[in-house]
């Protein structure tokens, strides 16, 4: 339920406060700068400090990862293709097709330094809060809960990447540079403890004067996500891909962690039953209704102070001819994943389906994909090669095509009313966690606990909201297949697919030794043809070693006790 309106306006000031207190260690009370005591004895200063730390969530807005581009990790998977072939806009393609580019010496997929800088700031805040803050115990715990919510979020990203990382929860630990990694299981337990503390001490809802803050529901949602990841590693990893002593989670822990995920998800469901959360009646509105109850945690934008460039990066070229960047576009694999409206699988081999492939599809298809013949901003989209502005162009025929290389464009989260985004940027919200994801977490964990009926109920809530019939899955295997499908279409382009394939240990099967595809569409009406064409000029590569991204070499040099993850 976070809006980040009033709080984000304070980010620059908060950053200034932090910058003026390096290490937060002073011996006197200078009159020309902030001291620890002055920060924590002043409620306004504390508000600025905590507000500044919320800026961490912007690093991951719109499915972004700190390699610099929105939806970048989805473009490492089967659902999206980046259009550029050169480093920069095309870095994600380089990483997707050359596993050797991910290494300890390189910057790729590296959040280590940035993440640990934020963790230190969080720990400094908690330390100062407990030493100097003149607040009652409830307020103190509430501030700490917010800080630990942020710390848990940062650590979850680090652990998703590396599995085993260094855990810091107090400033005394920073007195030396001898810190070994903790086990992957202990890392997940640490993250879960942060989110549990946050859930125990955050309000269900903030007053309107303090919008932009983590809530109880957001903490429980993150807790559910954390335990689902831990349970998945316990079930699927089985030490098949890395023999490092600190990576992996015992298989015996899987059922406990799935149950923990269910418990956390049901806490959110309980809050929904109290009226705090709900699925948006119209799937499309979820991403544009600033007051949507579907958002457990989101970042709002207010022009001109806080904007983003999502439309500039993904809108079809004619929206701003010559200036749209078209970083990434949907693959044919993503397009074909959307079922028919009756719940049957779409098949090109079915002549009825193939005759009109974009008719009678899952309503989420029309909210997610821009296809040949679709209506967009008062025009009919033409993605055939004959349209020189936004028609299909073969991948790698030019280094920066700034148009589709698959025959499709992303529609989800684009603002159809924004015609000035080149000059004025964009302000639609980014939802970091929404209620639909919690229901899918609940369905998956329930399936793993063999409660098929309970899993069906949560899965069907998501499907029914979209206008789709109940699932026909009735066994655990069928349910997992249905859940993977549902996560793929419901959460498309929200930055989940890469991490799902990793935690299920399916990435080396789905993303390796394969070229993904698009459709070269020619003709019109009954004479339209849909030719399957590769949108990759070389096979994708995902080696088993990539389940644990190496620790940057510079960090090993800075920390004498830290060892590299085996295999790197």
């Amino acid at each position: 339920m976070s809006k980040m309106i009033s709080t984000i306006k304070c980010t620059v000031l908060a950053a200034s406060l932090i910058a003026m207190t390096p290490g937060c260690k002073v011996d006197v009370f200078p009159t020309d700068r902030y001291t620890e005591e002055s920060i924590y004895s002043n409620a306004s200063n504390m508000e600025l400090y905590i507000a500044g730390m919320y800026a961490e969530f912007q690093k991951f807005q719109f499915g972004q990862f700190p390699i610099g581009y929105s939806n970048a990790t989805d473009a490492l998977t089967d659902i999206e293709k980046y259009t550029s072939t050169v480093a920069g806009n095309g870095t994600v393609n380089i990483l997707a097709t050359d596993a050797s580019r991910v290494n300890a010496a390189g910057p790729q997929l590296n959040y280590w330094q940035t993440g640990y800088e934020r963790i230190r700031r969080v720990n400094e805040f908690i330390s100062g809060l407990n030493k100097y803050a003149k607040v009652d115990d409830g307020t103190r715990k509430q501030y700490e809960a917010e800080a630990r919510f942020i710390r848990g979020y940062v650590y979850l990203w680090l652990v998703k990447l590396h599995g085993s990382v260094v855990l810091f929860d107090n400033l005394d630990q920073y007195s030396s540079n001898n810190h070994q990694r903790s086990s992957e299981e202990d890392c997940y337990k640490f993250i879960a403890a942060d989110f549990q503390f946050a859930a125990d001490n955050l309000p269900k809802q903030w007053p309107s004067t303090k919008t932009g803050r983590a809530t109880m529901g957001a903490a429980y949602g993150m807790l559910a996500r954390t335990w689902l990841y831990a349970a998945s590693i316990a079930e699927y990893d089985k030490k098949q891909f890395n023999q490092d002593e600190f990576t992996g989670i015992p298989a015996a822990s899987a059922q406990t962690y799935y149950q923990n995920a269910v418990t956390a998800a049901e806490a959110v469901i309980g809050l929904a039953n109290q009226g705090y959360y709900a699925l948006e009646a119209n799937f499309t509105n979820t991403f544009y209704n600033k007051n949507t109850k579907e958002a457990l945690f989101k970042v709002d934008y207010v022009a001109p102070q806080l904007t983003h460039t999502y439309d500039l990066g993904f809108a079809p070229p004619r929206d701003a001819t010559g200036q749209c960047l078209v970083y990434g576009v949907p693959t044919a694999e993503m397009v074909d994943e959307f079922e028919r409206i009756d719940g049957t699988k779409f098949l090109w081999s079915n002549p009825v389906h193939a005759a009109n492939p974009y008719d009678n599809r899952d309503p989420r298809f029309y909210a997610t994909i821009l296809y040949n013949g679709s209506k967009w901003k008062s025009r009919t989209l033409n993605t055939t090669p004959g349209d020189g502005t936004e028609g299909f162009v073969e991948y790698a025929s030019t280094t920066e095509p700034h148009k589709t290389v698959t025959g499709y464009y992303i529609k989800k989260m684009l603002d159809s009313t924004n015609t000035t985004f080149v000059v004025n940027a964009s302000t639609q919200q980014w939802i970091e966690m929404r209620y639909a994801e919690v229901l899918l977490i609940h369905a998956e964990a329930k399936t793993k606990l063999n409660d098929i009926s309970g899993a069906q109920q949560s899965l069907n809530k998501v499907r029914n909201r979209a206008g789709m019939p109940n699932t026909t899955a009735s066994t655990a295997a069928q349910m997992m297949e249905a859940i993977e499908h549902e996560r793929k279409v419901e959460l498309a382009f929200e930055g989940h697919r890469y991490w799902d394939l990793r935690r299920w240990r399916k990435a080396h099967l789905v993303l390796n030794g394969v070229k993904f595809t698009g459709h070269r569409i020619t003709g019109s009406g009954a004479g339209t043809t849909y030719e399957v064409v590769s949108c990759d000029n070389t096979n994708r590569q995902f080696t088993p070693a990539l389940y644990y991204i190496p620790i940057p070499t510079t960090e090993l040099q800075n920390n004498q006790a830290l060892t590299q993850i085996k295999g790197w």
Side-chain angles (χ1 to χ4, degrees), residues 41 49 76 154 168 188 233 277 307 338 360 368 514 557:
S41 62
Y49 200 137
L76 291 171
V154 173
F168 290 105
Y188 275 107
I233 304 304
Y277 304 110
T307 59
F338 290 93
N360 300 311
T368 306
V514 64
Q557 295 168 344

Side-chain angles (χ1 to χ4, degrees), residues 38-310:
S38 67
I39 289 174
Y40 295 102
S41 62
N42 185 309
S44 296
N45 286 348
M46 290 179 62
E47 287 289 305
L48 293 175
Y49 200 137
I50 195 71
M53 291 193 293
Y54 275 100
E56 200 67 22
F57 296 95
Q58 294 174 51
K59 292 184 173 71
F60 302 93
Q61 64 191 15
F62 297 96
Q64 184 170 303
F65 185 80
I67 53 177
Y69 301 93
S70 297
N71 278 329
T73 56
D74 277 342
L76 291 171
T77 76
D78 53 343
I79 72 173
E80 184 182 5
K81 174 65 181 180
Y82 259 39
T83 61
S84 172
T85 63
V86 295
N89 291 347
T91 295
V92 70
N93 286 326
I94 296 169
L95 296 178
T97 56
D98 185 356
S100 70
R101 295 299 186 100
V102 178
N103 56 70
Q108 295 89 1
L109 296 177
N110 180 9
Y111 177 57
W112 189 282
Q113 182 177 357
T114 301
Y116 276 103
E117 285 175 354
R118 179 62 66 196
I119 289 165
R120 172 148 191 161
R121 294 307 182 195
V122 169
N123 287 336
E124 287 172 348
F125 177 82
I126 294 172
S127 176
L129 173 70
N130 289 323
K131 286 181 181 178
Y132 305 114
K134 296 183 171 85
V135 294
D136 61 68
D137 188 57
T139 302
R140 188 189 309 275
K141 286 184 177 179
Q142 187 170 277
Y143 274 125
E144 182 177 347
E146 288 186 86
R148 291 181 65 173
F149 178 86
I150 297 165
R151 188 175 69 184
Y153 180 80
V154 173
Y155 263 123
L156 183 56
W157 275 107
L158 288 168
V159 174
K160 282 160 62 175
L161 281 165
H162 305 286
S164 165
V165 300
V166 180
L167 298 178
F168 290 105
D169 67 353
N170 66 78
L171 291 185
D172 292 339
Q173 294 169 291
Y174 294 95
S175 61
S176 74
N177 62 346
N178 292 282
H179 301 285
Q180 179 59 292
R181 294 177 282 124
S182 293
S183 72
E184 188 167 6
E185 184 168 35
D186 284 345
C187 288
Y188 275 107
K189 287 180 178 179
F190 182 92
I191 296 164
D194 270 354
F195 287 136
Q196 185 65 64
F197 184 90
D200 291 340
N201 293 284
L202 287 173
K204 296 178 181 178
Q205 189 172 21
W206 289 89
S208 59
T209 56
K210 290 192 176 184
T211 56
R213 314 290 273 266
T215 61
M216 177 190 295
Y220 273 125
M222 291 293 183
L223 183 60
R225 184 189 283 179
T226 299
W227 283 126
L228 183 70
Y229 270 80
S232 298
I233 304 304
E235 177 177 2
Y236 295 111
D237 184 72
K238 299 176 182 176
K239 299 294 288 186
Q240 301 173 80
F241 310 106
N242 192 286
Q243 296 304 309
D244 189 276
E245 61 184 308
F246 297 115
T247 63
I249 298 176
S253 298
Q255 289 291 289
T256 297
Y257 295 162
Y258 281 126
Q259 182 57 60
N260 290 350
V262 165
T263 300
E266 288 181 347
V268 180
I269 294 170
L271 290 168
N273 292 338
Q274 296 174 40
Y276 290 98
Y277 304 110
L279 293 174
E280 191 75 27
N282 183 308
F283 175 76
T284 303
N285 290 346
T286 303
F287 308 99
Y288 309 102
N289 177 4
K290 296 287 189 181
N291 297 311
T292 180
K293 285 188 173 183
E294 186 157 343
L296 274 71
F297 192 82
K298 69 188 181 82
V299 180
D300 270 357
Y301 300 82
V302 180
Q305 299 96 330
L306 186 67
T307 59
H308 58 80
T309 58
Y310 185 78

Side-chain angles (χ1 to χ4, degrees), residues 7 11 17 23 36-37 66-67 79 81 198 206 210 225 228 265 288 318 336 340 357-358 368 385 387 410 495 530 537:
T7 53
T11 300
L17 285 176
E36 285 186 291
E37 288 86 347
I67 53 177
I79 72 173
K81 174 65 181 180
W206 289 89
K210 290 192 176 184
R225 184 189 283 179
L228 183 70
Y288 309 102
R318 202 167 268 115
D336 294 348
R340 301 271 289 177
Y358 308 132
T368 306
D387 188 311
I410 293 172
Y530 304 86
N537 60 348

